[in-house]
Amino acid sequence: MSALLLAFALAATSYDAVFQDSLAAYDEGDYEHAVVLLEQLVDEGIVEDDVFYNLGNAYFRLGRFGESIANYERTLQLNPNHRDARRNLEKALAECPRGLARPLPPEWEQAVLFWHQGFDRRTSGFLAAALWVTGWTLLGVRRFMRVRYLAAAGAVAVAFGALFGASWYAKSHPQPTAVVVSEKAPVRYGTSPTDKVRFELFEGDRVLVEAADGDWLRVATIGRERGWAKAEHLVAVGPPYAGYFERGAGEEAGP
Amino acid sequence: MQVRAVAATVLIAAAGLAAAQEPYVEASVDSTEVPVESRFWIHIEAHGQEVEWPALPEIDGLWVNPRPNTSEHMVISNRSRRHIAKLSYSAIALEPGPITIPPIRVMVNGKPMYTEPIEIRAVGQPATSPRSIANVRAWVDDGHIVKGQPFWLNIEASGGDVRMPESISVDGLSIDNVNVRRGRSVSLGRGVYSETLKNAYHCTPHRAGEIEVPAFPVQVDGKTVETEPFTITVYEQRPRQTVDLDADANELTRDDLVFINMEVDKTEVYQGEPLLLQAQLWRIAHRYVQSGPIRGSLIVPPSTEGFYVTYLEPLSYVDEHKGWKYDVSEERKVLYPTAIGDLRIGQWHWEGIALVHSGYASRPRRLTYSLNAGPIKIKVKPLPPRPAGFNGAVGQFEMNASFNTQSLKQGVPARLVVTVTGTGNPDAIGGPAIPDLPWAQVSEPERKTDLEVSAQRPYPTVTKRFTYQIVPLRSGMVTLPEIKFIHFDPETGQYETQTAGPFSGMVEAMPGVPEEVVIAAENQPRLRNVEIQSDDIMPVARKISNLSPARSVPWLPAAVAVSPVLAFAFAAVVAARRARFARDGAYARSVRAHRTALAALDRCRDAGNPAEALFQAVVQYVADAYRREAAGLTSSDVRELLEANAVDPQIVDNGARILRSCERVNYAGQDLTADEWRALESGAREFIDRLEEARRP
C-alpha cells in the first residue's frame, strides 16, 4: 500500500515537474517546447482546465490560432467560468478571418438546460448526486414521520437532482465539435477530392462533426451548412482529449 | 464561483418570470403628408406577452389593405425580456385632404389598449383613369374558336389587394363560374407587397359570329378597375374537306403540301436585347399525304453568328393555312446580339419528300422538296453610355431581396437572397453589388438560374437567384444599405434601377464570440506574427500542483442513481409494515406470538427440562394466538381450542401429537435421543409456522 502511495506521489511530482518545465519554456519564449511538454501531459491523461488553457496560450503565441481556440474550448468545457480562457478565446477568434460561432447544443438541451452554462461538469454531478440522495432520503423519512412539506421538499430535490443529472450527462457527453486549423478548408459535397466544393471554412471556425468516413469528416456549421472536409484541416475539441493533435498539429495543412 | 453562478441563474430565471413588461402600443405612419393614390404604410407596434391584433376600422378617404405584414420577435437581455409585435398595413389615400386615423384598439396581455389618433394629409390629385394604378387584363387562349368547342377565358390582375369578380357572363358564351382555375403569385419588391391573381373560366360558345367580350370589373387596392373589352370570332364547325390534287390543283398546289417559314419578332434591337427566332416546318395534315425528311436529306439550321443563343423546347401543334390544317413543328431560339451593327441570321435549308396517295391501287406520287427560308438581317443598336453599376443586363427585370431569417446572430451566417426576374440573357445578369459592410463578412453569391417558358409570353422568364452568405461580426443594431440592380430596358431605351432595402435589424450576441470580430477580408492575408502589446492575452496559469491523470469510475453514476431509490423502496416496505402493526392489533399480536414462540423453541435445548420447555413454548403460542390463558392447558385443551377455531385437522393432529409426545416424555421421565429431540423440535417449528400461515389472512 505504501509502495503504491509512493509511486503515486512520484508520478504526481513528475507531472508537476513537467508542468513547471512547460512554464519555464513559455517564460523563455520557447513556445514550441512548451507545447510539446503540455501535450505530453495531455497524452498522459491529465485533464485540467489550466493545462489546456496554458496550451491554448502557447499555441496562440505560435500564431496557431485554430489549435489555440480548440484548447480554450476545452478549458471552457471543463470550467465554463474560466474568465481568462474566455477572454483569450475572444482574442484568438479575433485573429481568425471569420470566427464562426460555436455550434449550438441539441434542441432538447437548449430547451431543458438553458440555465446550466455557468456550471462545470463536476459541479453539476455533485449537485445532482446531493439533491438526488437528499430527495430520496427526505421521501424515505416521510414514510416514517409526518412532517409538513417534507414530501414536497423531497420531490423538489429529486426533480432538481434529475435536472442536474441531465446537466451532468450533457456536459459529460458534449457534441463532437472541431476547430479548423488550416487557413482554408474546402468543404465538399462528398468524400472525394474531385467533388464540388460546397463552401469553405476558415481557420478558427468551429463546426459540429456529424460523421466520419475514413479521413473525411462530415461537418455542419451553426448555420446548418453541411459537407465533407478532410480531417487534416480540423482538430477535435473532445473529450477524449488525448491523441487528437497527432495528425494535424505541427503542420500548416493547406487546402 | 458556483454559488454565484447559481444565484445568477436564479436571478435570470426570476427576471424571465417577471417578464410582464410594461404593455405598450403605438401607431405610426411613414409620413404625415402622403400623395394621393400612392401606397404608404401604417405601422402598429405592441409590446406585451400576448397581443391580439385588431381589424382596422373603416377610415374615411383611405383604403387599407386588410392583409397586413406582421413580425414578432423577442428581445432578451441579461435583465429583461421584451416581446415586440409589429403590424404594417399598406394604405392608399383616395382623395386629397386631411385624414384622421382614429385610435386603434389592440388587446395586449388581455387588456384593451388604444393608439393615439394620427392626422395625415393627402396631397395631389387622383389619376383620371383607374387603370393607372393597377394592371388588369383579359384574354382568350385559342386564336380559332369553333362553335360548341370549349376554350379558356382568362382574367389577370395585379396589385396590393386584388378581388376578382365572383362570376362573369358574356352574351353568346356558356361560362362555368364554379370550376374556375385560380392562380395566385405574390412578390415583395422594393418593400411593396404585390399579388397577381389569375382566373381562367371554361367557356363554350353557343353561336357563331362575332362575340363581344365586355369589360370585367376587378377590385384592386379598393378601387374598381376594368379589363379592356375585346371581340372574339366564333366559327361554325368546318365542313370536311377532301383532297384531290388533280381536281383541286388551283386550290392546293405542290408548294402548299410542305413549306417552311422563318421569322423573328423584331429586326431592330439594342445590343443584348432578346429577340425570338421561330423556324416552322408546315406539313399538311391529311390522310392522303405523308411528308417529312428521308435518309440523306440535307437540313442546315440557320446560323446565328454574333448572337448568344438560348434554345427553347421545340413545339408541335396544329395550325391552319388557307383553310387547311397543318402539323407544324417549330424550333424556337431566343437570340441576344452580342455585337453592334448589321447582323445576319443565316438561311435555313430543309430537304424532304411528300407522298400523295391518289387511289388504293395506284402508287403514290413522290414529290421532293428543297426549301430555303431567310436569311434575316438584324440591325443592332449600341447601348447608351453605361452608368456605374451596370453589369450587362438588358431586358425587363424585377428585383426582390430578402433574408432567410428573422433574427441575426453574431457569427451565425444568414442568407440574403436577391432574386432578379424578367426577360433577358440570363448569363448577362450579374449579381447586384452588396455595399461594404463594416459589421459583416459577405461571401461571393451562389447563383442559380431558372428558365420558365410560357405560351403566353414570347420570351422565357428568367429567374436568377443570388444567395449571399452574410456573417455578422458584431452584435447590436445594424443596417444593410439599399441594394441596387441596374439594367437597360429596351422598351423605354433607358437604364432603370431596381432597389431593395435598406434592411435594418438587431444582431444578437452569441456566447463565446467576441464583441467584435471584424477582421480583414478573406482575400487579404493576415500578418501572422503576434504583437505583444498592452492588449495582450491573459497570462498562463501557474498555480497547479498534484497533477494526476483523470480517473473515472464507470459504475459510480449508476450506483448513485440507483442506491437512493433502492433505499427508499426498503424504507417504504418497512414503513408499511410498521403502519400495519400500528393499525392491525391482531396481526401485530400474531406476529409477536410467532416470533416469541420461535425464540422459545431456540432456548428449549438449553433448558433444564427441554420437553417441558418445548411444550410450554407451543402452548404459549397457541394461547397467545387465540387470546387464551396458557396456564393449565393440556394437549387435549389445545386440540379443542384449535378445532373450535376451524383450524385444518391435519395441523391440529400434528400439534396434538407433538404436545402429547412432550407430555409423555415429561411424565414418564425418560430422556430423548438426539434424533428424537431433533424430530420433536422440528415438528414443533413446522406446526407453529403452518398454524401462523393458516391464521394470516
Short mmCIF file of all heavy atoms in Angstrom, two decimals, chain A residues 224-242:
data_model
loop_
_atom_site.label_atom_id
_atom_site.label_comp_id
_atom_site.label_asym_id
_atom_site.label_seq_id
_atom_site.Cartn_x
_atom_site.Cartn_y
_atom_site.Cartn_z
N ARG A 224 -26.09 25.55 -40.22
CA ARG A 224 -26.60 24.29 -40.76
C ARG A 224 -26.10 24.00 -42.18
O ARG A 224 -26.72 23.28 -42.94
CB ARG A 224 -28.13 24.23 -40.72
CG ARG A 224 -28.69 24.47 -39.36
CD ARG A 224 -29.97 23.73 -39.14
NE ARG A 224 -30.53 24.01 -37.82
CZ ARG A 224 -30.24 23.32 -36.74
NH1 ARG A 224 -29.41 22.32 -36.81
NH2 ARG A 224 -30.79 23.62 -35.59
N GLU A 225 -24.98 24.62 -42.55
CA GLU A 225 -24.32 24.22 -43.79
C GLU A 225 -23.61 22.91 -43.51
O GLU A 225 -22.95 22.76 -42.49
CB GLU A 225 -23.30 25.28 -44.20
CG GLU A 225 -23.90 26.62 -44.53
CD GLU A 225 -24.39 26.68 -45.94
OE1 GLU A 225 -24.26 25.67 -46.65
OE2 GLU A 225 -24.93 27.72 -46.35
N ARG A 226 -23.73 21.96 -44.43
CA ARG A 226 -23.13 20.64 -44.20
C ARG A 226 -22.24 20.26 -45.37
O ARG A 226 -22.49 20.68 -46.50
CB ARG A 226 -24.22 19.58 -44.08
CG ARG A 226 -24.87 19.56 -42.76
CD ARG A 226 -25.81 18.37 -42.66
NE ARG A 226 -26.25 18.23 -41.30
CZ ARG A 226 -27.17 19.02 -40.74
NH1 ARG A 226 -27.71 19.98 -41.45
NH2 ARG A 226 -27.53 18.86 -39.48
N GLY A 227 -21.26 19.44 -45.08
CA GLY A 227 -20.42 18.94 -46.15
C GLY A 227 -19.28 18.13 -45.57
O GLY A 227 -19.19 17.94 -44.35
N TRP A 228 -18.43 17.61 -46.47
CA TRP A 228 -17.33 16.75 -46.04
C TRP A 228 -16.01 17.51 -46.15
O TRP A 228 -15.73 18.13 -47.17
CB TRP A 228 -17.27 15.50 -46.91
CG TRP A 228 -18.43 14.58 -46.70
CD1 TRP A 228 -19.63 14.63 -47.36
CD2 TRP A 228 -18.53 13.51 -45.76
NE1 TRP A 228 -20.45 13.65 -46.89
CE2 TRP A 228 -19.81 12.94 -45.90
CE3 TRP A 228 -17.67 12.98 -44.82
CZ2 TRP A 228 -20.23 11.86 -45.15
CZ3 TRP A 228 -18.09 11.90 -44.07
CH2 TRP A 228 -19.36 11.35 -44.22
N ALA A 229 -15.23 17.43 -45.08
CA ALA A 229 -13.93 18.09 -45.06
C ALA A 229 -12.88 17.08 -44.66
O ALA A 229 -13.16 16.13 -43.92
CB ALA A 229 -13.94 19.25 -44.07
N LYS A 230 -11.66 17.28 -45.16
CA LYS A 230 -10.58 16.38 -44.78
C LYS A 230 -10.26 16.60 -43.30
O LYS A 230 -10.19 17.73 -42.81
CB LYS A 230 -9.33 16.70 -45.61
CG LYS A 230 -9.45 16.27 -47.05
CD LYS A 230 -9.28 14.77 -47.21
CE LYS A 230 -7.83 14.42 -47.51
NZ LYS A 230 -7.69 12.97 -47.76
N ALA A 231 -10.02 15.49 -42.61
CA ALA A 231 -9.78 15.58 -41.17
C ALA A 231 -8.50 16.35 -40.85
O ALA A 231 -8.38 16.93 -39.78
CB ALA A 231 -9.68 14.17 -40.58
N GLU A 232 -7.58 16.40 -41.83
CA GLU A 232 -6.31 17.08 -41.54
C GLU A 232 -6.50 18.59 -41.34
O GLU A 232 -5.62 19.24 -40.79
CB GLU A 232 -5.34 16.84 -42.69
CG GLU A 232 -5.77 17.48 -44.00
CD GLU A 232 -4.96 16.98 -45.19
OE1 GLU A 232 -4.35 15.92 -45.06
OE2 GLU A 232 -4.98 17.65 -46.22
N HIS A 233 -7.63 19.11 -41.79
CA HIS A 233 -7.87 20.54 -41.63
C HIS A 233 -8.48 20.87 -40.27
O HIS A 233 -8.69 22.04 -39.97
CB HIS A 233 -8.83 21.05 -42.71
CG HIS A 233 -8.29 20.89 -44.09
ND1 HIS A 233 -7.08 21.38 -44.47
CD2 HIS A 233 -8.80 20.29 -45.19
CE1 HIS A 233 -6.86 21.09 -45.74
NE2 HIS A 233 -7.89 20.42 -46.20
N LEU A 234 -8.85 19.86 -39.52
CA LEU A 234 -9.62 20.09 -38.29
C LEU A 234 -8.94 19.46 -37.09
O LEU A 234 -8.18 18.50 -37.23
CB LEU A 234 -11.02 19.47 -38.43
CG LEU A 234 -11.87 20.03 -39.56
CD1 LEU A 234 -12.89 19.00 -39.99
CD2 LEU A 234 -12.58 21.29 -39.11
N VAL A 235 -9.21 20.01 -35.95
CA VAL A 235 -8.78 19.35 -34.72
C VAL A 235 -10.00 19.25 -33.81
O VAL A 235 -10.77 20.19 -33.66
CB VAL A 235 -7.62 20.13 -34.07
CG1 VAL A 235 -8.02 21.51 -33.65
CG2 VAL A 235 -7.08 19.38 -32.88
N ALA A 236 -10.17 18.04 -33.27
CA ALA A 236 -11.36 17.80 -32.45
C ALA A 236 -11.17 18.44 -31.08
O ALA A 236 -10.08 18.48 -30.54
CB ALA A 236 -11.59 16.31 -32.30
N VAL A 237 -12.26 18.94 -30.55
CA VAL A 237 -12.21 19.56 -29.23
C VAL A 237 -12.22 18.47 -28.15
O VAL A 237 -11.55 18.57 -27.14
CB VAL A 237 -13.38 20.54 -29.06
CG1 VAL A 237 -13.47 21.04 -27.63
CG2 VAL A 237 -13.20 21.73 -30.00
N GLY A 238 -12.98 17.41 -28.37
CA GLY A 238 -13.05 16.33 -27.39
C GLY A 238 -14.16 16.56 -26.39
O GLY A 238 -14.94 17.51 -26.54
N PRO A 239 -14.29 15.73 -25.35
CA PRO A 239 -13.43 14.62 -24.99
C PRO A 239 -13.64 13.42 -25.93
O PRO A 239 -14.67 13.38 -26.58
CB PRO A 239 -13.88 14.27 -23.58
CG PRO A 239 -15.32 14.71 -23.52
CD PRO A 239 -15.41 15.89 -24.42
N PRO A 240 -12.71 12.45 -25.99
CA PRO A 240 -11.43 12.43 -25.26
C PRO A 240 -10.46 13.46 -25.80
O PRO A 240 -10.58 13.90 -26.94
CB PRO A 240 -10.91 11.01 -25.50
CG PRO A 240 -11.53 10.62 -26.81
CD PRO A 240 -12.86 11.28 -26.86
N TYR A 241 -9.49 13.82 -24.96
CA TYR A 241 -8.59 14.92 -25.31
C TYR A 241 -7.25 14.44 -25.84
O TYR A 241 -6.58 15.16 -26.56
CB TYR A 241 -8.35 15.80 -24.09
CG TYR A 241 -9.63 16.34 -23.52
CD1 TYR A 241 -10.15 15.86 -22.33
CD2 TYR A 241 -10.34 17.33 -24.19
CE1 TYR A 241 -11.33 16.35 -21.81
CE2 TYR A 241 -11.53 17.83 -23.69
CZ TYR A 241 -12.03 17.32 -22.50
OH TYR A 241 -13.19 17.81 -22.02
N ALA A 242 -6.85 13.24 -25.47
CA ALA A 242 -5.50 12.78 -25.84
C ALA A 242 -5.51 12.26 -27.26
O ALA A 242 -6.47 11.66 -27.72
CB ALA A 242 -5.05 11.68 -24.89
#
